[in-house]
Amino acid sequence: MCRVQRVWQWLVIAALTATACGQRPVASSEFEATRQRMVQRQLRERGIKDERVLAAMGKVPREEFVPADERGDAYEDGPLPIGYGQTISQPYIVAFMTEQLRPKRGDRVLEIGTGSGYQAAILGELVAEVYTIEIVEPLAKNAEATLQRLGYKNVHVKVGDGYKGWPEGAPFNAVIVTCAPDKVPQSLVEQLKDDGRMVIPVGEQFAQQLYVLEKKNGQLKESVTLPVRFVPMVREAEQR
Ligand code: SAH
């Protein structure tokens, strides 16, 4: 066998061995294709129209925000577990809530429920500054590390009870809540600027309505959009 043949034989064996052992890493280009398919099938075809939101969903690598053993399912049409009994939301819900928020480039946005940090990264692509609060410390630290690694310098993560909002950072142009309280926290209303919008699931455990609240001359105008299922907003005292 000549040298070239031997090298080829070695390469083929190495490739087959890696595949058989399940070691083949999923190339980022494969994720790119699945991400674009997700944007088309799960978002565009279901009525998400805001091109900036669609572009952000087509750019942020969701696979980086899920545990290693869930990466292959990163673009499936559903939520995924992220540990501590919490989940990263379904891509459609992330896109829908972001579109309802009507994010503008110069906005400062508050998010309650950082979770994996994925929703915060989407917002980081669309607005000036994102302030996000997570009550489970290891989740907050993990999200912060992921966001830093991916270069989201405009996303600020804090550990704490989001029910109280982030008074030092207020007021905000928009507030997005990704865990469900049984009523809208007054502190979040107070920290919302006039002409600002809040997107928030409200209701009983695992069966809520997604509200869009608009503040106009100090008054709230509310509309109900979708039935949703978020984890409940827990309070600091309950968590301890
Ligand atoms: N936005 C997240 C998904 C949210 S899951 C993402 O993109 O991955 C809901 C998160 O809200 C959970 O991580 C949960 O720990 C957190 N949470 C629940 N109650 C909270 C509270 N009072 N303050 C801050 N975070 C809270």
Side-chain angles (χ1 to χ4, degrees):
M1 202 188 298
C2 76
R3 215 171 132 220
V4 175
Q5 274 177 316
R6 223 175 289 131
V7 169
W8 266 110
Q9 194 181 38
W10 184 86
L11 283 174
V12 169
I13 290 170
L16 287 174
T17 313
T19 311
C21 298
Q23 287 168 348
R24 194 179 65 100
V26 183
S28 59
S29 58
E30 283 178 46
F31 280 124
E32 175 67 30
T34 354
R35 189 182 315 122
Q36 299 317 319
R37 220 171 12 250
M38 174 277 283
V39 169
Q40 179 60 30
R41 302 214 177 128
Q42 299 176 33
L43 309 183
R44 274 190 198 280
E45 289 176 16
R46 286 196 195 137
I48 303 293
K49 291 195 174 61
D50 186 326
E51 288 298 334
R52 292 184 68 230
V53 174
L54 291 163
M57 296 290 297
K59 181 174 171 198
V60 176
R62 194 169 191 262
E63 69 276 10
E64 300 288 340
F65 292 87
V66 301
D69 57 348
E70 302 283 352
R71 288 184 113 205
D73 290 335
Y75 295 97
E76 291 294 305
D77 188 14
L80 288 172
I82 54 170
Y84 305 89
Q86 308 302 329
T87 54
I88 176 173
S89 308
Q90 178 191 15
Y92 174 76
I93 290 293
V94 174
F96 182 83
M97 290 174 79
T98 310
E99 186 172 65
Q100 293 296 317
L101 214 55
R102 294 200 200 137
K104 287 190 269 324
R105 246 179 247 291
D107 282 355
R108 299 170 68 252
V109 177
L110 174 66
E111 180 196 25
I112 311 301
T114 316
S116 67
Y118 177 68
Q119 171 76 74
I122 295 288
L123 290 167
E125 293 285 339
L126 297 167
V127 303
E129 301 291 335
V130 181
Y131 295 81
T132 178
I133 309 177
E134 169 57 54
I135 201 161
V136 178
E137 184 166 359
L139 284 178
K141 295 290 169 219
N142 193 41
E144 193 170 33
T146 310
L147 290 159
Q148 261 178 23
R149 183 162 48 79
L150 296 176
Y152 289 98
K153 294 201 174 68
N154 61 342
V155 181
H156 316 282
V157 183
K158 177 164 112 168
V159 182
D161 182 357
Y163 193 88
K164 299 182 236 166
W166 193 319
E168 317 85 89
F172 299 97
N173 302 95
V175 177
I176 180 168
V177 183
T178 63
C179 46
D182 49 13
K183 61 181 179 22
V184 178
Q186 187 54 32
S187 45
L188 299 186
V189 174
E190 281 161 14
Q191 291 171 30
L192 184 64
K193 265 191 184 172
D194 214 48
D195 287 329
R197 291 163 79 79
M198 187 186 316
V199 177
I200 180 168
V202 184
E204 287 167 27
Q205 192 164 2
F206 300 113
Q208 310 105 18
Q209 298 292 336
L210 189 66
Y211 283 78
V212 178
L213 310 175
E214 219 172 334
K215 204 176 199 180
K216 288 258 177 235
N217 305 318
Q219 300 288 313
L220 282 185
K221 204 181 92 191
E222 66 174 47
S223 55
V224 179
T225 56
L226 291 178
V228 284
R229 238 168 203 258
F230 277 88
V231 296
M233 180 184 277
V234 294
R235 302 300 319 278
E236 218 156 30
E238 294 169 38
Q239 213 220 3
R240 288 214 176 103

